[in-house]
């Protein structure tokens, strides 16, 4: 499973690294240390936490987030596979994006919960890029 540094998690959540450190120090999100002593967050933990942050009411946890050129970098929070089609959910800061695509595309991209991905929006379509 992929793990994320504090800085990577901050970028995905749309907040500062200091905010993520405070959340980790306060026990809101679990971290562990790598061999070099860096604090890391497990991808599944970050996916679950990003949903919590995205659903928080207005207040200190509100995450300001804007898209540039309709690209929403975030973390995969759900993958539902059917026989032919699939549904992928990405939490990008406070934004939850859902894309319907083929099962084959999901498998080719290797998408799974906890991975970093970018949703690209054009008109009424949402395309997923693995990052």
């Amino acid at each position: 499973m992929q793990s994320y540094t504090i800085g990577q998690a901050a970028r995905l959540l749309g907040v500062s690294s200091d905010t993520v450190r405070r959340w980790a120090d306060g026990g809101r999100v679990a971290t562990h240390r790598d061999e070099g002593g860096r604090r890391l967050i497990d991808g599944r933990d970050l996916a679950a936490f990003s949903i919590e942050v995205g659903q928080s009411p207005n207040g200190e946890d509100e995450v300001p987030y804007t898209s540039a050129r309709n690209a929403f970098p975030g973390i995969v929070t759900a993958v539902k596979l059917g026989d032919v089609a699939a549904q992928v959910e990405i939490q990008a800061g406070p934004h939850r994006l859902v894309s319907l695509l083929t099962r084959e595309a999901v498998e080719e991209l290797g998408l799974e919960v906890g991975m970093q991905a970018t949703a690209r929006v054009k008109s009424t379509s949402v395309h997923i890029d693995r990052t």
Side-chain angles (χ1 to χ4, degrees):
M1 171 50 54
Q2 185 170 350
S3 292
Y4 297 89
T5 65
I6 296 290
Q8 290 170 323
R11 186 175 56 81
L12 292 169
L13 294 169
V15 298
S16 71
S17 296
D18 287 338
T19 297
V20 176
R21 280 189 204 93
R22 280 193 302 275
W23 286 340
D25 292 344
R28 288 193 61 195
V29 62
T31 63
H32 62 276
R33 297 211 182 251
D34 67 4
E35 306 81 39
R38 293 184 310 165
R39 288 169 55 166
L40 300 175
I41 301 171
D42 177 72
R44 288 192 182 274
D45 292 339
L46 184 57
F49 184 67
S50 70
I51 292 170
E52 176 187 325
V53 169
Q55 293 175 346
S56 68
N58 293 344
E60 73 177 57
D61 290 341
E62 186 175 7
V63 180
Y65 190 83
T66 61
S67 69
R69 297 185 183 168
N70 301 321
F72 294 83
I75 188 166
V76 176
T77 58
V79 176
K80 299 173 187 163
L81 297 174
D83 291 338
V84 177
Q87 178 178 314
V88 176
E89 295 181 23
I90 292 180
Q91 191 72 37
H95 307 290
R96 176 179 166 262
L97 298 128
V98 180
S99 179
L100 300 176
L101 57 165
T102 65
R103 178 186 182 120
E104 180 181 13
V106 171
E107 291 171 347
E108 284 179 8
L109 290 170
L111 295 175
E112 60 184 47
V113 172
M115 307 184 79
Q116 185 175 346
T118 301
R120 298 197 187 275
V121 180
K122 180 180 179 189
S123 187
T124 58
S125 299
V126 176
H127 303 270
I128 306 294
D129 296 339
R130 181 176 172 182
T131 49

